[in-house]
Amino acid sequence: MRLSRRRLLKGALCGAFVGAAGCSPGPRPRVGALLGAGRASLAHRLWAPFQAQAGVRVERARVVIVGGGVAGLSAAWRLRRAGFEGEVLLLELDARLGGTSQSGEGGSGPVALGAHYATIPNKENIHVQAIFADLGLIVGADSAGRPAYDPAAICLAPQERLFIGGEWILGLWPATGATAEDEAQREAWEAELSVWRSTIGADGRPAFALPIALSSEDPALRALAEPTFAAWLDARGYTSPRLRWMIEYGCRDDFGATLRSTSAWAGLHYHCARRPFVADPLDMGTQVLTWPGGNGALVDGLAKRCGATLRVGALVRRVEADTGRVWVEAGGELIEVQAERVILAVPSAVSARLLDRPAPLALTTAPWRVAVLQLDGWTPGPGVPAAWDSVPWDPELSAEETDLGAIDNGWQARRYGGPTTLSHYQPLCADDPSAARQALLHAGWEEQAEAVLHRMRKGWPDLPEHLARIDIWAWGHGTVRPSPGLHTDPRRLAALGAIEGRVHHAHTELSGMSLFEEASWHGVRAAEEALQALGAPVGPSLLGADLGAAWRRG
Amino acid sequence: MAADPPGAERPSRALLLSAFVIATCGLIYELVAGAMASYLLGDSVTQFSLVIGTYLSAMGLGSYMSRYLDRGLLARFVEVELAVALIGGLEAPVLFGLFVWSPAFRWLLYLQIGLIGALVGLELPLLIRILERETSLKELVARVLFLDYIGALAASLVFPLVMLPRLGLFRTSIAFGLINAGVALWTTYLFQAAPSVLRRLRWMSAGVIIILLSVFVAAGPIEARLDANLFADPVVYRAASPYQKIVLTHRDGDTRLFINGALQFSTLDEHRYHESLVHPAMTAVEAPARVLVLGGGDGMAVREVLRYDSVQHVTLVDLDPMITSIFTDRPELSALNRASLSDPRVRVINADAFTYLEGRAAPAPGAQSPSDDVYDVVLVDFPDPNNHGLGKLYTTTFFSMLDRAVAEGGVVAVQATSPMWSPSAFWCIHRTMRHAGWQTRPYHAYVPAFGEWGFVLAGRSSPVRFGPLPEGLRFLDATTRDLLFHFPPDLAERPGPINRLDNQALVQLYEEDWRAMLKR
Ligand SMILES: Cc1cc2nc3c(=O)[nH]c(=O)nc-3n(C[C@H](O)[C@H](O)[C@H](O)COP(=O)(O)OP(=O)(O)OC[C@H]3O[C@@H](n4cnc5c(N)ncnc54)[C@H](O)[C@@H]3O)c2cc1C
């Protein structure tokens, strides 16, 4: 109301007296680009025919890590932590480390292009606690021995706001206009969640744990992975559209999936696996850790402390599992690296290609579009003036169409408004994502920028006047979907991670979920496996006492 | 020159009368603009003279432009009249709307004044040319100009003495718009013209009258809803910095400072507030020498601090350079703080206090050793936590950082909102300080402009012993000081959360408190 009045008056006056002093310049010409194009074309070279050649330059390393995402960097970090002395070479095709957790540059500081938060780890989640302690994120402990986290990394309040009924309200629950029935179902849902959170399986492990490998393998619980989340909610009588919207938000946010394309087990996992182990938990407002520019800060921290030789712009073309030979294109040259052990920290479709064999399991992955918007300020819309995460509520749009809103990259700098950079997230949630993926990868910048601004026009009415730049980043295979059936039998996913000759596998996909906790767990696990295979000291394992049976077999 | 419509030769006294009305209305619009400008922008002398200058020169321009109007003079005259009625009549509400909604208010104000001036400037030349055909020029000029000046006199008497007190600014300007429109309508009955022309002009008049009448009806409640605080007393100074809107009002020896519409002090009783904020802390340490004031850019707290001879230096950290500079440079304001901000012992730093304390946490290489840079007394005087930017200044993080700024044996006093009106917020601040490791002693004082007001005195050990108070205080003596620390049952402590950066619980508590208060 306030804004539209102001603009109306301005518009009328400016129309009448063109060029009069004080008239707003109106929407600015749009500036920006498609980012990551170089990366995409490099990655596509992977699918070009490849013939291993003799007579190329040969290098040697004891361990080669392929892929410089969170999984690869965590593997390198774990080797260093064990005091491993041999040469470790990490090869990353992109010009930047981090993969789906990388940050970009956004005018006033780093910006999130992919992952932008991690949760405070559970007590049993020792590998993440070890990483966080090493990165200086744990700054003390309370009298009960629970760790205290760096206040600068704990997400400032208010964390979330929702645009509903023409204004921003606190939190994610679409409270405006909710009926008594909506509220009753929500209460029942919260009560049910708290039961699941403390449910223990027949094997004595929590029903839902992070990392997933520590979750119970009790078949009675794993049966939840068979039905779709939608069918399960139907059967339990959760029919309130608002409640389902809020639950589905979680699926879209973590998996790029709808209630239909998520299993009930995974859907519950999202809500029930987090039991933060933290000092003075009652005082905590949140369990979210975040940094300016998102998880790129974790990537930087790992890269600094991992002790490996980090080579970017290095596209691995072929890996020979039996001999440990790795062919890599770097600086316009094909090089052969001879390694004692190889850790493949790349998506499973890429490992299949590198090893020149079919993938043991086909996974569904969701494409994501991330837009980075540089603003020279913004006028707070009606309601809650600002939050870290600003989410639209648009019941007219289908789950496939709707976006997740935007996070404020400058939030942790405590500016509460003013010039900043937003990262706007849109997972493409169609059941079969391939058409959406092709459309995303082939759309031009203009069209994409327009689509993003169209989605943001309600909650940020004066955005066009403040927008200095909008860049678009497309993830063709952003997140793996925990489709129905994927988690029923833990051995299904474990097949992706079986040791092959000298090769160990590490990637978040091996958990059937894309999360920092999972990616780093697999990196740490692969490194521990490699150390064992090399006969090098491993030191105390970081995998958690209750390591899942499927992975223990490895 | 083209011929006028038949019937234009019946000018009569009626048209002369309209010269009088036109002149009255013209001056009224000028006065309304001047009053609005000085109301809203402050600094009345400048505003009035700029408004008059703009208006007069625009009138000149309008008079000159009249030479381009040749045909159908009477119809043109009616049209100009209607335009004046509409734009002039709606002047006050439109200007107010622009002030609220547009950052370019100042320029739009002059644009509007210029437009009205130009239209009014058109009127008299048109009138003279219409009447010229039947009266001699000598007669005509004498009569028209006489009526013009008499009309101005009428306006200057009626505006402040009758209209403004009865109708308020909005309705005064609309009322004269209606008179203008009435003259226009009347004029259409004074001459003959093609019926289609007359019909058009009458419809237009009716339209303008209807618009003005409906705004007139709506204006009452709108004006009543305007921030009563802001307009209770005459505004003597108004400025908007990038951080906040600053307004000073003055009436009968009472100067009030408002920031973003919230009262900061009234000179009638600010001594109660500032003495209570400053002296318990200052007398809780022996011979305080180094004092840090966070917020409080009006220099009032510093004024109290400088009563102690032991004080060697005072650092004042306030976000807004506008506040500290007007309270340093404007004589009527620096008189209020007894020129405390110009005292050689006082250093003013314009910074966000949070960032300032954070910067101190990591002293720049080569800086003086950190112990040189600690304070015996720290006085924290921020606005109430009604948004997250202010809420961060009352968090565990902030109060922990504060610890590094305080010398061994030093104390802190924090303004902590009202234990009466916002008890949850008050006790949340108290609890948060305790959680951050401070030994606290909450206290409160009665400040009529605010009501019962609360503070927290804190140290690494509980500040219980007080030295003598300085001379010349108006509110505090030793007995009163002791009484401040007593909380009667209706102000008793209540439980609740701790305010942290990641929950900003205080902002919500404060809002809820006030909502509950307003419901009572
Ligand atoms: C838009 C988006 C938002 C997300 N948000 C979050 C979040 O907020 N929190 C969270 O925990 N998780 C989030 N995730 C999940 C995120 O994927 C994981 O946190 C984590 O980054 C996965 O790391 P990874 O190392 O397993 O995989 P990847 O990030 O896929 O890393 C694989 C790396 O291997 C490289 N590579 C591939 N092929 C080759 C080759 N042939 N040669 C050399 N290098 C190669 C790639 O360039 C890449 O750097 C998000 C993901 C996306 C897409």
Side-chain angles (χ1 to χ4, degrees):
Chain A
M1 173 63 190
R2 216 190 111 169
L3 281 166
S4 56
R5 273 292 287 281
R6 172 180 172 189
R7 283 207 302 187
L8 229 138
L9 279 169
K10 261 197 202 169
L13 279 164
C14 291
F17 315 104
V18 184
C23 283
S24 132
R28 307 209 205 147
R30 230 148 260 162
V31 188
L34 290 176
L35 301 177
R39 166 199 167 88
S41 72
L42 248 186
H44 269 107
R45 277 188 58 75
L46 247 186
W47 309 102
F50 178 77
Q51 208 54 60
Q53 294 164 27
V56 300
R57 187 154 69 82
V58 174
E59 287 183 23
R60 249 166 267 276
R62 290 201 70 193
V63 178
V64 165
I65 300 173
V66 182
V70 168
L73 287 166
S74 304
W77 172 86
R78 180 65 181 91
L79 293 174
R80 162 81 171 261
R81 184 178 174 93
F84 184 68
E85 304 221 312
E87 169 72 12
V88 177
L89 177 62
L90 182 144
L91 302 169
E92 165 58 49
L93 73 85
D94 206 342
R96 243 177 205 275
L97 292 168
T100 47
S101 288
Q102 68 185 283
S103 311
E105 280 310 321
S108 55
V111 296
L113 297 173
H116 45 276
Y117 71 93
T119 35
I120 290 184
N122 299 354
K123 184 170 188 185
E124 68 275 13
N125 189 350
I126 56 174
H127 83 280
V128 172
Q129 290 175 70
I131 292 174
F132 285 177
D134 198 29
L135 301 195
L137 290 167
I138 294 179
V139 292
D142 66 1
S143 51
R146 293 170 299 199
Y149 285 82
D150 178 6
I154 299 175
C155 185
L156 302 179
Q159 277 89 41
E160 284 144 346
R161 56 175 189 160
L162 186 70
F163 193 74
I164 178 168
E167 64 166 354
W168 292 103
I169 62 171
L170 272 185
L172 280 183
W173 169 244
T176 315
T179 62
E181 172 64 16
D182 290 325
E183 295 288 355
Q185 288 200 16
R186 182 190 177 204
E187 258 169 53
W189 165 249
E190 296 292 347
E192 167 140 29
L193 286 185
S194 69
V195 173
W196 285 115
R197 249 175 232 134
S198 50
T199 299
I200 306 287
D203 50 9
R205 290 196 258 131
F208 303 103
L210 249 185
I212 264 186
L214 307 186
S215 303
S216 171
E217 294 177 4
D218 183 341
L221 290 170
R222 290 298 181 130
L224 287 168
E226 237 9 88
T228 69
F229 202 13
W232 187 84
L233 290 169
D234 287 341
R236 313 282 289 190
Y238 294 116
T239 51
S240 152
R242 278 161 201 263
L243 179 64
R244 288 174 79 107
W245 177 89
M246 191 174 73
I247 299 174
E248 190 158 59
Y249 174 85
C251 297
R252 293 190 287 126
D253 184 37
D254 255 30
F255 313 137
T258 58
L259 296 174
R260 266 198 322 274
S261 50
T262 305
S263 76
W265 188 86
L268 285 169
H269 184 277
Y270 175 87
H271 294 279
C272 303
R274 291 169 176 89
R275 293 172 288 270
F277 180 57
V278 62
D280 305 316
L282 289 182
D283 297 337
M284 288 289 297
T286 175
Q287 46 187 27
V288 171
L289 299 175
T290 188
W291 301 265
N295 291 11
L298 292 173
V299 168
D300 290 348
L302 285 170
K304 277 201 201 93
R305 283 169 187 76
C306 75
T309 304
L310 305 172
R311 200 174 292 170
V312 293
L315 173 70
V316 174
R317 296 295 307 269
R318 179 62 38 92
V319 173
E320 252 178 35
D322 299 338
T323 60
R325 295 202 290 174
V326 174
W327 281 272
V328 54
E329 289 174 1
E333 185 190 10
L334 184 69
I335 304 166
E336 181 191 325
V337 188
Q338 297 184 352
E340 287 173 49
R341 307 305 296 182
V342 178
I343 295 176
L344 277 185
V346 295
S348 56
V350 176
S351 330
R353 175 76 190 152
L354 295 181
L355 293 166
D356 202 17
R357 56 144 173 79
L361 179 66
L363 297 170
T364 312
T365 54
W368 285 64
R369 178 179 63 213
V370 181
V372 177
L373 300 100
Q374 294 181 26
L375 307 182
D376 63 9
W378 90 82
T379 321
V384 178
W388 172 59
D389 193 2
S390 300
V391 179
W393 189 67
D394 218 337
E396 280 108 61
L397 292 179
S398 69
E400 288 79 19
E401 294 165 297
T402 170
D403 58 300
L404 295 171
I407 58 130
D408 181 349
N409 285 290
W411 188 242
Q412 293 299 100
R414 293 183 311 271
R415 282 199 295 265
Y416 303 104
T420 192
T421 308
L422 304 180
S423 291
H424 178 268
Y425 287 86
Q426 171 122 41
L428 305 180
C429 297
D431 285 353
D432 175 3
S434 35
R437 176 175 303 124
Q438 287 318 309
L440 173 71
L441 297 178
H442 292 103
W445 168 80
E446 185 76 48
E447 182 187 333
Q448 308 225 41
E450 214 43 64
V452 172
L453 293 178
H454 182 71
R455 300 285 13 252
M456 295 178 79
R457 74 196 182 286
K458 286 190 189 151
W460 289 267
D462 64 345
L463 191 70
E465 288 163 37
H466 287 299
L467 187 66
R469 194 182 163 87
I470 171 167
D471 294 314
I472 305 289
W473 181 285
W475 296 105
H477 302 271
T479 50
V480 60
R481 283 193 190 157
S483 315
L486 190 61
H487 288 100
T488 321
D489 180 352
R491 280 170 303 200
R492 275 196 86 190
L493 278 163
L496 286 173
I499 300 172
E500 300 171 69
R502 296 176 181 226
V503 169
H504 308 270
H505 293 276
H507 191 267
T508 195
E509 282 185 356
L510 275 63
S511 289
M513 279 182 200
S514 295
L515 289 169
F516 177 82
E517 292 84 346
E518 301 300 336
S520 53
W521 190 84
H522 285 289
V524 165
R525 176 191 48 73
E528 290 189 4
E529 282 174 11
L531 287 166
Q532 230 149 30
L534 290 164
V538 185
S541 170
L542 292 181
L543 298 180
D546 233 343
L547 174 53
W551 294 105
R552 232 182 295 135
R553 267 200 337 258
Chain B
M1 193 170 159
D4 277 311
E9 69 282 352
R10 260 186 59 214
S12 77
R13 271 158 227 272
L15 275 182
L16 273 178
L17 187 63
S18 64
F20 174 78
V21 175
I22 287 165
T24 316
C25 294
L27 194 71
I28 292 279
Y29 300 139
E30 187 179 335
L31 292 172
V32 167
M36 287 297 279
S38 51
Y39 236 12
L40 298 175
L41 298 172
D43 194 0
S44 29
V45 176
T46 318
Q47 291 313 326
F48 251 103
S49 80
L50 283 177
V51 164
I52 291 174
T54 311
Y55 193 80
L56 287 179
S57 58
M59 276 177 73
L61 192 69
S63 306
Y64 183 76
M65 301 296 270
S66 67
R67 67 195 290 254
Y68 297 110
L69 296 183
D70 286 337
R71 296 171 160 278
L73 283 186
L74 264 166
R76 292 295 89 77
F77 176 71
V78 171
E79 283 161 7
V80 168
E81 198 78 346
L82 287 174
V84 173
L86 193 64
I87 302 177
L90 295 179
E91 181 181 34
V94 166
L95 281 180
F96 191 83
L98 289 175
F99 176 73
V100 174
W101 285 299
S102 168
F105 170 72
R106 189 180 288 266
W107 303 111
L108 296 172
L109 168 82
Y110 294 132
L111 199 69
Q112 189 178 15
I113 293 169
L115 196 65
I116 298 173
L119 287 169
V120 171
L122 271 173
E123 288 175 330
L124 274 197
L126 283 183
L127 195 65
I128 290 177
R129 278 167 56 196
I130 292 169
L131 296 175
E132 181 191 27
R133 258 168 261 127
E134 78 154 28
T135 320
S136 74
L137 191 64
K138 180 174 91 178
E139 248 329 84
L140 194 59
V141 169
R143 280 203 218 158
V144 168
L145 290 186
F146 169 73
L147 287 170
D148 182 38
Y149 292 126
I150 288 295
L153 174 67
S156 60
L157 294 174
V158 159
F159 177 71
L161 298 180
V162 182
M163 299 304 270
L164 205 51
R166 298 262 164 94
L167 289 181
L169 213 44
F170 282 22
R171 286 172 164 215
T172 299
S173 104
I174 301 169
F176 279 90
L178 280 167
I179 295 177
N180 251 179
V183 169
L185 186 60
W186 184 38
T187 310
T188 63
Y189 292 97
L190 293 180
F191 68 100
Q192 287 148 8
S196 65
V197 174
L198 288 179
R199 218 178 306 125
R200 180 175 61 85
L201 291 174
R202 284 174 193 155
W203 274 116
M204 279 167 63
S205 312
V208 169
I209 288 172
I210 288 170
I211 292 175
L212 288 172
L213 270 179
S214 40
V215 182
F216 189 86
V217 172
I222 294 178
E223 212 173 357
R225 231 185 298 139
L226 298 181
D227 199 334
N229 269 342
L230 277 182
F231 290 83
D233 293 349
V235 173
V236 291
Y237 180 80
R238 172 185 275 276
S241 75
Y243 306 102
Q244 46 206 359
K245 276 206 181 117
I246 301 163
V247 170
L248 268 171
T249 65
H250 183 86
R251 163 168 293 169
D252 303 336
D254 176 14
T255 302
R256 293 172 175 232
L257 172 70
F258 296 86
I259 292 184
N260 294 335
L263 179 62
Q264 303 299 304
F265 67 72
S266 150
T267 46
L268 291 183
D269 60 13
E270 60 79 16
H271 66 279
R272 280 184 159 240
Y273 176 88
H274 289 107
E275 288 182 14
S276 305
L277 169 71
V278 172
H279 298 298
M282 290 294 282
T283 52
V285 270
E286 217 171 299
R290 302 155 297 181
V291 179
L292 174 64
V293 182
L294 301 175
D298 56 29
M300 308 291 204
V302 177
R303 175 194 70 203
E304 295 302 315
V305 167
L306 293 176
R307 290 182 190 273
Y308 297 78
D309 293 335
S310 60
V311 168
Q312 285 162 8
H313 65 248
V314 182
T315 305
L316 172 78
V317 180
D318 193 289
L319 182 62
D320 195 347
M322 173 95 79
I323 283 274
T324 50
S325 75
I326 62 172
F327 276 93
T328 312
D329 299 334
R330 292 181 68 96
E332 75 273 29
L333 295 181
S334 65
L336 300 177
N337 59 34
R338 267 185 251 125
S340 66
L341 299 185
S342 313
D343 191 286
R345 288 168 288 175
V346 176
R347 181 168 61 129
V348 175
I349 297 176
N350 290 119
D352 178 325
F354 200 106
T355 319
Y356 170 79
L357 286 185
E358 227 171 10
R360 286 177 40 93
Q368 295 169 314
S369 81
S371 64
D372 285 358
D373 202 18
V374 293
Y375 297 89
D376 303 311
V377 173
V378 179
L379 303 167
V380 182
D381 190 12
F382 299 128
D384 286 0
N386 61 10
N387 64 48
H388 296 115
L390 290 167
K392 74 181 181 188
L393 301 170
Y394 297 87
T395 53
T396 45
T397 312
F398 184 84
F399 291 129
S400 306
M401 285 198 300
L402 204 52
D403 181 63
R404 291 190 290 255
V406 177
E408 201 48 52
V411 299
V412 177
V414 178
Q415 100 76 2
T417 82
S418 166
M420 183 91 201
W421 308 128
S422 48
S424 315
F426 175 80
W427 290 111
C428 173
I429 295 172
H430 176 253
R431 205 164 35 244
T432 303
M433 291 181 71
R434 272 191 180 232
H435 190 85
W438 293 98
Q439 299 296 316
T440 53
R441 290 196 69 195
Y443 64 101
H444 61 102
Y446 182 67
V447 184
F450 296 144
E452 204 61 49
W453 212 256
F455 307 85
V456 181
L457 181 66
R460 291 199 188 87
S461 59
S462 184
V464 283
R465 253 201 302 276
F466 297 103
L469 287 160
E471 300 279 293
L473 301 190
R474 291 161 65 196
F475 173 57
L476 279 191
D477 58 21
T479 318
T480 319
R481 181 179 55 194
D482 288 344
L483 286 175
L484 299 184
F485 292 89
H486 178 71
F487 278 76
D490 64 347
L491 299 181
E493 176 158 12
R494 36 176 91 190
I498 282 160
N499 188 41
R500 303 166 43 111
L501 279 173
D502 61 4
N503 67 7
Q504 291 263 15
L506 180 61
V507 173
Q508 213 158 332
L509 291 177
Y510 183 78
E511 255 175 37
E512 284 164 10
D513 278 343
W514 278 99
R515 234 178 285 138
M517 211 282 278
L518 293 176
K519 260 197 229 133
R520 278 197 293 220

